[in-house]
Amino acid sequence: MINSKTIIITGGAGFIGSHVVRRFVNNYPDYKIINLDNLTYAGNLANLTDIQDAPNYSFQKGDITDAVFIDALFEKEKPYAVIHLAAESHVDRSISNPMEFVMTNVIGTVNLLNAARKSWEGDYINHRFYHVSTDEVYGALGESGMFTEETSYDPHSPYSASKASSDHFVRAYHDTYGLDVVISNCSNNYGSHHFPEKLIPLAINNIKNNKPVPVYGKGENVRDWLWVEDHARAIDVIFHKAKAGDTYNIGGHNEWKNIDLIRLLCEILDQKLGRESGASAKLITFVTDRAGHDLRYAIDSTKLQNELDWVPSLQFEEGLEKTVDWYLQNEEWLENVTSGNYQDYYKNQYNS
Ligand code: NAD
Ligand code: TYD
């Protein structure tokens, strides 16, 4: 018998995963949410303290690259669905260590697909495998145009190549075996609990501590930013309403050149920290460009808006201020993450 309400959410201790777990735990008391996460450097259970004791939530430490473990977990839990976010997610790390990205993003995804296939055989129609992906699989845009669901894949970084590969496997399991799969490709997210190696939290942390803010190249690259809670809401809608085999792009029509975004953050922090106007902007430091740096991403999410009635809820300036406030009010979280203390604590707790 399947547990018709058990959902395994992978990567739930990470940035976006923690927002998805929180949303599902709070909004769907009937679901039993299992957060499957290996607690890499990016996984932090302190992201979920507010819901950790909820009766419909449990945490399972485990590595998706371990096929035996994944098969056993499916055998034990007999989940109705998987929402798969676990991944290595940072482009710069993928440039220095591509194999970790192949292991988790490609092999880990195929392990989950295999477990789902075995566990759900004969009843695919009553299950769902939701794969969370990125707009970076589409490659880079020039000055104009937007990525639609029809745009051909053209990844450039080892990160985006590994995500593209995982997307292809997910679609192949639908086309070949009939597994019920759904994929969404989202633009850059921002918000609370974002690990401070990515641009926005790194810049907030450095500005706060009067440290240089590294801007790659000339800062001319463009990213399309979406508030993380709007992404979690889109995942909720797509998970519940999409047709099997379908794909949706998710984005906020909110393009910013990196340098303009950093200047705006400097202004917000000058004001919030009581600094003289222009003081934080002096921290901006242009550094060597990232290898293979994609010039521009922009998502066309018309399909999601028209078919499933999803629109972003927050203007970027408002969301950015909320985000800055969160980091200023959660110094302990930031301190633990930047010092690495959070890992020692949870490593001791889970014996690894
Ligand atoms: P993140 O790096 O913050 O979190 C990843 C999580 O996966 C961590 O909790 C980590 O411990 C876990 N994990 C890593 N390897 C694992 C393994 N082998 N087994 C089990 N767990 C493992 O990532 P994020 O930014 O929250 O991204 C989540 C997903 O969304 C990823 O699939 C990413 O490609 C996609 N995505 C991210 C963005 C973005 O802007 N951050 C945008 C679009 C799509
Ligand atoms: P990042 O947050 O790493 O996301 P992604 O590479 O997945 O888009 O980077 C966002 C943009 O900011 C990207 O164009 C690279 C740039 N960047 C910097 O200029 N300085 C930095 O220190 C970082 C981390 C990124």
Side-chain angles (χ1 to χ4, degrees):
M1 256 269 293
I2 56 157
N3 293 320
S4 61
K5 297 286 179 185
T6 296
I7 303 176
I8 295 178
I9 300 184
T10 73
F15 166 47
I16 301 170
S18 63
H19 286 276
V20 174
V21 165
R22 177 176 301 102
R23 183 177 177 92
F24 274 71
V25 166
N26 285 336
N27 289 8
Y28 301 104
D30 285 355
Y31 286 151
K32 178 182 160 197
I33 301 298
I34 301 175
N35 172 12
L36 166 62
D37 197 297
N38 204 28
L39 300 181
T40 68
Y41 80 94
N44 183 358
L45 288 176
N47 293 350
L48 290 166
T49 45
D50 54 331
I51 55 99
Q52 67 189 6
D53 297 323
N56 61 339
Y57 170 77
S58 63
F59 173 68
Q60 172 68 59
K61 185 176 184 323
D63 188 343
I64 60 168
T65 69
D66 180 347
V68 174
F69 161 75
I70 294 295
D71 284 350
L73 183 68
F74 273 67
E75 186 56 36
K76 177 168 164 250
E77 300 292 349
K78 301 195 169 29
Y80 144 67
V82 172
I83 304 178
H84 175 37
L85 296 105
E88 288 294 335
S89 67
H90 190 38
V91 173
D92 294 328
R93 286 181 190 255
S94 81
I95 294 169
S96 26
N97 194 353
M99 194 48 91
E100 270 186 19
F101 286 68
V102 174
M103 292 308 295
T104 289
N105 298 0
V106 185
I107 307 289
T109 301
V110 176
N111 283 339
L112 288 165
L113 287 166
N114 282 338
R117 199 187 140 209
K118 273 183 259 177
S119 176
W120 302 343
E121 198 161 12
D123 193 24
Y124 291 154
I125 198 166
N126 287 313
H127 295 84
R128 174 144 282 188
F129 190 102
Y130 187 137
H131 179 60
V132 175
S133 193
T134 167
D135 61 353
E136 303 192 27
V137 299
Y138 297 124
L141 293 163
E143 297 295 326
S144 62
M146 295 183 118
F147 300 132
T148 72
E149 288 80 1
E150 268 66 56
T151 305
S152 300
Y153 277 29
D154 184 22
H156 297 133
S157 73
Y159 164 64
S160 53
S162 68
K163 291 296 292 187
S165 172
S166 64
D167 291 12
H168 288 317
F169 271 103
V170 173
R171 286 200 183 92
Y173 274 58
H174 173 69
D175 296 346
T176 308
Y177 308 111
L179 206 65
D180 178 316
V181 307
V182 176
I183 299 179
S184 57
N185 298 85
C186 188
S187 61
N188 287 61
N189 285 213
Y190 72 96
S192 70
H193 305 93
H194 202 181
F195 195 82
E197 64 180 354
K198 307 277 172 64
L199 181 67
I200 290 181
L202 179 124
I204 295 173
N205 192 34
N206 285 17
I207 295 168
K208 176 173 160 270
N209 293 313
N210 265 311
K211 283 165 54 179
V213 181
V215 174
Y216 298 166
K218 293 185 177 143
E220 296 288 312
N221 303 69
V222 173
R223 296 293 181 265
D224 182 355
W225 294 95
L226 180 70
W227 191 41
V228 63
E229 292 187 33
D230 280 330
H231 186 188
R233 184 166 48 84
I235 289 173
D236 181 346
V237 173
I238 295 167
F239 176 76
H240 288 104
K241 295 195 176 157
K243 292 192 302 291
D246 221 345
T247 294
Y248 287 90
N249 280 354
I250 311 172
H253 288 281
N254 178 46
E255 295 180 48
W256 283 77
K257 270 189 189 165
N258 290 341
I259 187 63
D260 295 336
L261 165 54
I262 296 298
R263 288 205 175 105
L264 176 60
L265 268 180
C266 288
E267 279 169 31
I268 294 174
L269 276 145
D270 275 349
Q271 192 232 324
K272 295 210 181 269
L273 296 172
R275 290 182 186 164
E276 202 177 298
S277 171
S280 300
K282 295 193 180 112
L283 298 167
I284 294 174
T285 308
F286 293 95
V287 299
T288 310
D289 208 354
R290 173 186 278 172
H293 197 171
D294 286 338
L295 177 67
R296 177 173 163 258
Y297 304 142
I299 275 277
D300 180 347
S301 56
T302 309
K303 179 179 171 190
L304 178 59
Q305 301 191 13
N306 288 350
E307 290 184 6
L308 302 185
D309 211 18
W310 173 93
V311 282
S313 71
L314 215 56
Q315 288 297 311
F316 187 55
E317 285 81 352
E318 189 190 345
L320 207 55
E321 253 199 77
K322 267 170 101 107
T323 304
V324 169
D325 285 341
W326 187 85
Y327 281 94
L328 294 180
Q329 284 156 15
N330 287 274
E331 284 205 329
E332 197 186 349
W333 183 94
L334 199 51
E335 175 58 30
N336 276 334
V337 169
T338 43
S339 67
N341 283 348
Y342 69 111
Q343 287 196 299
D344 296 339
Y345 175 75
Y346 289 110
K347 266 190 189 132
N348 293 339
Q349 210 174 359
Y350 292 100
N351 295 324
S352 62

